[in-house]
Amino acid sequence: MREIVIVGGGYAGFYAAWGLEKKLRRGEARVTVVDPRPYMTYQPFLPEVTAGSVEARHAAVSLRRHLRRTRVIAGTVSRVRHVDRMVHVQPVNGADYELRYDTLVVTAGAVTRKFPIPGLAEQAIGLKHVEEAVAIRDSLLTAFDQAASLAPGAERKRLLTVTFVGGGFSGVEGFGELLSLATAMLRAYREIRFEELSFHLVEARGRILPEVTDGPGAWVVRSLEERGAHVHLNTQLTSADGGHVVLSNGEEFDSALIVWAAGNASNPVVRQHTDLPVDDRGLIVVRPDLQVGTESEPVEGVWSAGDDAAVPDLASRVAGARTVPNAQHAVRQGRLLARNIVADLRGEPTRPYRHSSLGVVATLGLGRGIFQYKKIVIKGFPAWLMHRGYHVLAVPTWERKIRVLTVWLTAALFGRDLVSLASVQHPRDAFVTSGAPRNPAGGRENDRPAT
């Protein structure tokens, strides 16, 4: 039986495996997905997870539940050696081993791009995984709880200051949603005034949302500023040491929550630990049909798509254009991967990937959004409805669609749940301390000797 190994269970990898299950004849090939996480993250929902509009589990699609005929390995591929048709697997637990394949699909996904900024690694939270979105939400809720019990001053100001770095879709949507949550929370936290909130969005370029044109991008900036946000364009984060934010424009302030959403970088496995052809950006070179290589020099038995691949954009009029790394392309490329791999196994012709954009849509917080398709621009509440409608249709499986719709309808009736579960990050604390308060010296009250 032929072995098909898929490196990564994100959009492209999940949809490729899902499609292969439907198209392969029984006994024709065995499909294996290698990913350290047991689920596919539906990343467009992460901003709403930060705001409590979508439950964290509903943004995660279980691999084992939906890929019933696929072998799922909890681990990371650390090296690809195509000359021997082997991948080196580091399981979550246990010793490393090598996995042989006949057909390889590389969809490992991009990683968060970081810079050597003082304090960044110690203080910031990314916005690429469900765990990060939950931590962001709980950090804000915990900060409100703590600030409400403090008198006005430096510590209270720090707790109510939020900083997002990165003005792409992920950063702007997360920023807008968290600002919407903070504003809504003021009704429950009467000790905190709106004027005390300090939300900062930092972008190195002169505009945000590069996927939309200048006019809609400028409107988003004005909309955020009218809601009390501070948008710093042409500005970089130069330090976050100890939570003290220093910007290149000279501004400095303390921030309890720093979110880093300044773009993606190619996966280190693809960039440095493979004998497959990569371009100068560290992306795998693929043909229009998603087979690795070029028209004149294809690499037999290897396919790639999504954020890892430099996929030619046949729908663009620009020579040499590549598809942008977004969910629209990754999902459709994953489906085409399944079709083309099966066609290749059976000696049938493959199809090139061609997909014109359906437009871009972003949420800016509850009831606010922006949509653009060519020259058509829709703003505000209608765009927000379009955002929710599109993504509830796009999220895979009817089970997930129904769960998300149920949460939205419940929130419309009763509002968002404002309970922080930050303590789940340290679940043993209550058990270890037995609930005893700590004294200033670091011990517990019941540690004091009896008198």
Side-chain angles (χ1 to χ4, degrees), residues 205-282:
R205 292 166 294 189
R207 50 162 300 175
I208 62 174
L209 295 179
E211 295 87 349
V212 303
T213 54
D214 291 346
W219 177 85
V220 173
V221 172
R222 292 195 302 271
S223 174
L224 292 173
E225 290 178 338
E226 288 170 359
R227 293 162 59 189
H230 307 278
V231 181
H232 307 270
L233 301 178
N234 295 309
T235 305
Q236 297 179 7
L237 175 69
T238 60
S239 177
D241 197 17
H244 182 72
V245 172
V246 180
L247 303 180
S248 60
N249 62 7
E251 292 191 46
E252 298 184 27
F253 49 86
D254 291 329
S255 183
L257 177 58
I258 302 172
V259 180
W260 181 263
N264 297 324
S266 59
N267 196 295
V269 174
V270 172
R271 187 173 66 248
Q272 301 171 346
H273 303 291
T274 175
D275 55 359
L276 301 175
V278 297
D279 64 11
D280 55 358
R281 297 175 297 169

Side-chain angles (χ1 to χ4, degrees), residues 277-279 283-287 291-294 299 304 308-310 322:
V278 297
D279 64 11
L283 302 178
I284 296 179
V285 176
V286 300
R287 308 188 315 174
Q291 183 177 354
V292 172
T294 62
V299 179
S304 185
D308 288 324
R322 298 289 184 264

Side-chain angles (χ1 to χ4, degrees), residues 124-253:
I125 303 175
L127 186 51
K128 195 171 181 62
H129 302 291
V130 173
E131 299 91 337
E132 294 172 325
V134 172
I136 291 169
R137 175 177 182 266
D138 286 344
S139 293
L140 181 70
L141 293 173
T142 301
F144 263 64
D145 284 332
Q146 295 174 355
S149 63
L150 295 176
E155 178 61 11
R156 178 170 168 133
K157 184 176 182 180
R158 183 189 72 85
L159 289 168
L160 298 176
T161 299
V162 174
T163 305
F164 271 67
V165 183
F169 258 76
S170 177
V172 171
E173 288 190 312
F175 183 79
E177 285 287 348
L178 207 65
L179 177 60
S180 176
L181 173 62
T183 304
M185 287 169 61
L186 293 174
R187 292 193 293 270
Y189 290 84
R190 298 175 183 175
E191 305 93 334
I192 301 174
R193 294 177 292 108
F194 173 78
E195 294 76 16
E196 293 183 273
L197 300 182
S198 185
F199 273 66
H200 299 263
L201 177 62
V202 181
E203 169 54 44
R205 292 166 294 189
R207 50 162 300 175
I208 62 174
L209 295 179
E211 295 87 349
V212 303
T213 54
D214 291 346
W219 177 85
V220 173
V221 172
R222 292 195 302 271
S223 174
L224 292 173
E225 290 178 338
E226 288 170 359
R227 293 162 59 189
H230 307 278
V231 181
H232 307 270
L233 301 178
N234 295 309
T235 305
Q236 297 179 7
L237 175 69
T238 60
S239 177
D241 197 17
H244 182 72
V245 172
V246 180
L247 303 180
S248 60
N249 62 7
E251 292 191 46
E252 298 184 27
F253 49 86

